[in-house]
Amino acid sequence: MIVFRDRITHEDHISDAWGGVLAYGDSVLKCKCRWGMFSDNEDVALAGANASAEAEDEGGSSESKERKLDLVHNFGLQELDFMDKAGFKEYVMLGIPKWTGYQKQLLQDANSFLTKDKKLSEEDIAEEIKKWKKGLNEFIKYVIKQWKNSTIYWDKCCDIDGAVCIYVDDDGDNIYYIKALYDEDKQ
C-alpha cells in the first residue's frame, strides 16, 4: 500500500487503497468519495455487552453523528473555512514555485533509478515540468470556475504551507490532491 503524506506536516491525506486516478496531466490525484454519517468518537463495546439494549436502557444513544465525506473523516481532515477564492488564488500563486521544485525533484529522483539508456535529459525533465504545469493550471482554473461547488480541507496541523485537499461536487463527489505536495510512503 502507498500512503500519501503531506511534505510539510507529514500527515497522511490519502492512500492508494482508495483507488484514485491521475488527472490533469498527472499533476492531480482524483479520488471518489462519498457522504456518510460519522462520529468522531470510537465505538467501544465491552465484551458481551449488547450496545443496542444498553442504549435503549439509557433512553437512546447520546453519540452524535455528523454528515461528512468518508475521506475527510478517515484522514482527520478539517475544512479550511477561512479560505475564499482570492485566498485560494494567492495560496496557488505563492505555492507554484515551491511545488515546481518538488515536481522537478520527483523527476530527478525517479531518473536516478533508470538505466542509462532510459534516463531523462535535462531538456526532457524541463518538458515534463512544462506538461505538469499546464495540467496544474488547467486544474486550478477548473477549481476557481467551480468555486461555489468546492470545499478546501487541510490536516489537523493547520499549516498553511502544507497541502490542501479540494472537494469538488462535479461529476460525482471527488477530492483532488496535488500530487507533488505529497511524499509517497510504501508500507
Side-chain angles (χ1 to χ4, degrees):
M1 174 168 63
I2 298 173
V3 175
F4 295 88
R5 289 204 167 99
D6 183 318
R7 286 179 180 271
I8 303 298
T9 67
H10 308 288
E11 292 290 325
D12 299 355
H13 282 203
I14 190 70
S15 76
D16 65 346
W18 290 87
V21 295
L22 290 173
Y24 295 97
D26 294 348
S27 64
V28 175
L29 184 64
K30 176 181 179 180
C31 297
K32 288 277 186 200
C33 54
R34 66 175 179 76
W35 289 97
M37 298 301 289
F38 298 98
S39 169
D40 288 334
N41 299 324
E42 288 192 39
D43 296 330
V44 179
L46 299 173
N50 183 343
S52 61
E54 289 183 21
E56 288 175 354
D57 290 343
E58 296 174 14
S61 175
S62 64
E63 183 176 327
S64 63
K65 293 192 176 196
E66 187 178 353
R67 185 174 186 261
K68 292 183 186 178
L69 292 164
D70 54 359
L71 289 174
V72 169
H73 175 73
N74 289 332
F75 288 93
L77 303 176
Q78 301 172 16
E79 185 175 343
L80 191 83
D81 54 2
F82 66 84
M83 185 178 281
D84 59 7
K85 189 189 289 190
F88 179 71
K89 288 178 182 178
E90 183 180 356
Y91 170 79
V92 169
M93 290 304 126
L94 293 173
I96 282 182
K98 189 175 7 174
W99 305 344
T100 302
Y102 295 155
Q103 184 64 19
K104 186 173 183 179
Q105 188 63 50
L106 286 170
L107 290 168
Q108 290 170 336
D109 290 350
N111 211 22
S112 68
F113 293 105
L114 297 174
T115 59
K116 195 172 190 175
D117 60 324
K118 294 186 180 184
K119 286 190 184 268
L120 296 173
S121 67
E122 284 301 316
E123 294 81 28
D124 293 336
I125 290 175
E127 186 62 32
E128 289 298 315
I129 292 291
K130 187 177 175 182
K131 287 185 218 173
W132 176 83
K133 275 187 171 179
K134 181 180 179 199
L136 182 62
N137 284 326
E138 287 173 15
F139 172 67
I140 299 304
K141 287 177 187 174
Y142 172 72
V143 171
I144 290 169
K145 184 178 171 185
Q146 294 290 326
W147 190 256
K148 291 186 185 231
N149 299 325
S150 302
T151 307
I152 310 297
Y153 293 95
W154 60 355
D155 60 47
K156 65 184 176 194
C157 293
C158 303
D159 189 332
I160 197 65
D161 291 327
V164 297
C165 312
I166 303 159
Y167 165 75
V168 181
D169 182 7
D170 48 11
D171 61 342
D173 294 319
N174 297 291
I175 294 185
Y176 295 87
Y177 303 83
I178 299 172
K179 194 168 178 292
L181 303 184
Y182 295 92
D183 289 321
E184 296 180 28
D185 183 17
K186 294 180 182 164
Q187 296 184 346

Coordinates of all heavy atoms in Angstrom, one line a residue, residues 1 15 21 51 58 74 95-96 108 116 128 147-148 153 159-160 171 178:
M1 N 0.8 -1.2 0.0 CA 0.0 0.0 0.0 C 0.9 1.2 0.0 O 1.9 1.3 0.6 CB -0.9 0.0 1.2 CG -1.7 1.2 1.4 SD -3.0 1.2 2.6 CE -2.2 1.0 4.1
S15 N -4.5 7.2 0.7 CA -3.7 6.0 0.3 C -4.2 5.5 -1.0 O -5.3 5.8 -1.4 CB -3.7 5.0 1.4 OG -4.9 4.3 1.4
V21 N -7.3 8.1 -9.4 CA -6.7 8.2 -10.7 C -6.0 9.5 -10.9 O -6.4 10.5 -10.4 CB -7.8 7.9 -11.8 CG1 -8.5 6.6 -11.7 CG2 -8.9 9.0 -11.7
A51 N -24.8 -3.4 22.8 CA -24.8 -1.9 22.7 C -26.2 -1.4 22.5 O -26.6 -0.4 23.1 CB -23.9 -1.5 21.6
E58 N -30.8 3.5 28.5 CA -30.4 4.8 28.8 C -31.2 5.9 28.0 O -30.9 7.0 28.0 CB -28.9 5.0 28.6 CG -28.1 4.1 29.5 CD -26.6 4.2 29.2 OE1 -26.2 5.1 28.4 OE2 -25.9 3.3 29.7
N74 N -12.0 9.8 7.6 CA -11.0 8.7 7.8 C -9.5 9.3 8.0 O -8.7 8.7 8.6 CB -11.0 7.7 6.7 CG -12.2 6.8 6.8 OD1 -12.8 6.6 7.9 ND2 -12.7 6.4 5.7
G95 N 2.5 29.2 -4.0 CA 2.9 27.8 -3.9 C 3.6 27.2 -5.2 O 4.4 26.4 -5.1
I96 N 3.2 27.7 -6.3 CA 3.6 27.1 -7.6 C 5.1 27.0 -7.7 O 5.7 26.0 -8.1 CB 3.0 27.8 -8.8 CG1 1.5 27.2 -8.9 CG2 3.7 27.5 -10.1 CD1 0.7 27.7 -10.1
Q108 N 13.8 13.9 -11.0 CA 15.2 13.6 -10.8 C 15.4 12.4 -10.0 O 16.3 11.6 -10.3 CB 16.0 14.8 -10.2 CG 16.0 16.0 -11.2 CD 16.6 17.3 -10.5 OE1 16.5 17.5 -9.3 NE2 17.1 18.2 -11.4
K116 N 20.9 3.8 -17.9 CA 21.5 5.0 -18.6 C 20.8 5.3 -19.9 O 20.6 6.4 -20.3 CB 23.0 4.7 -18.9 CG 23.8 5.8 -19.3 CD 25.2 5.5 -19.4 CE 26.1 6.8 -19.5 NZ 27.5 6.5 -19.5
E128 N 8.8 17.8 -19.2 CA 7.9 17.1 -18.3 C 7.3 18.2 -17.3 O 6.1 18.1 -16.9 CB 8.5 16.0 -17.5 CG 8.8 14.8 -18.4 CD 7.5 14.2 -18.9 OE1 6.5 14.0 -18.2 OE2 7.5 13.8 -20.2
W147 N -15.9 27.1 -7.9 CA -15.6 27.5 -6.5 C -16.9 27.3 -5.6 O -16.8 26.9 -4.5 CB -15.2 29.0 -6.4 CG -14.7 29.3 -5.1 CD1 -15.4 30.1 -4.1 CD2 -13.5 28.8 -4.4 NE1 -14.7 30.1 -3.0 CE2 -13.5 29.4 -3.1 CE3 -12.5 28.0 -4.8 CZ2 -12.5 29.1 -2.2 CZ3 -11.4 27.8 -3.9 CH2 -11.5 28.3 -2.6
K148 N -18.1 27.6 -6.1 CA -19.3 27.5 -5.3 C -19.6 26.0 -5.0 O -20.3 25.8 -4.1 CB -20.5 28.2 -6.0 CG -20.3 29.7 -6.1 CD -21.5 30.3 -6.6 CE -21.3 31.8 -6.7 NZ -22.3 32.6 -6.1
Y153 N -9.9 21.5 2.3 CA -9.6 20.8 3.5 C -8.1 20.8 3.7 O -7.3 20.8 2.8 CB -10.1 19.4 3.5 CG -11.6 19.3 3.5 CD1 -12.3 19.1 2.3 CD2 -12.3 19.3 4.6 CE1 -13.6 19.0 2.2 CE2 -13.7 19.2 4.6 CZ -14.4 19.0 3.4 OH -15.7 18.9 3.4
D159 N -1.3 23.9 8.9 CA -0.1 24.6 8.4 C -0.5 25.1 7.0 O -0.6 24.3 6.1 CB 1.1 23.7 8.4 CG 2.4 24.4 8.1 OD1 2.3 25.5 7.4 OD2 3.4 24.0 8.5
I160 N -0.6 26.4 6.8 CA -0.9 26.9 5.5 C 0.1 26.6 4.4 O -0.2 26.7 3.2 CB -1.2 28.4 5.6 CG1 -2.0 28.9 4.4 CG2 0.1 29.2 5.8 CD1 -3.4 28.4 4.2
D171 N -18.7 15.8 -11.3 CA -19.3 14.6 -11.9 C -19.4 13.5 -10.9 O -19.1 12.3 -11.2 CB -18.5 14.1 -13.2 CG -17.1 13.8 -12.8 OD1 -16.6 14.2 -11.8 OD2 -16.4 13.1 -13.6
I178 N -3.1 17.6 -5.1 CA -2.0 18.0 -6.0 C -0.8 17.1 -5.6 O -0.2 17.2 -4.5 CB -1.6 19.5 -5.8 CG1 -2.8 20.3 -6.2 CG2 -0.4 19.8 -6.7 CD1 -2.7 21.8 -5.9

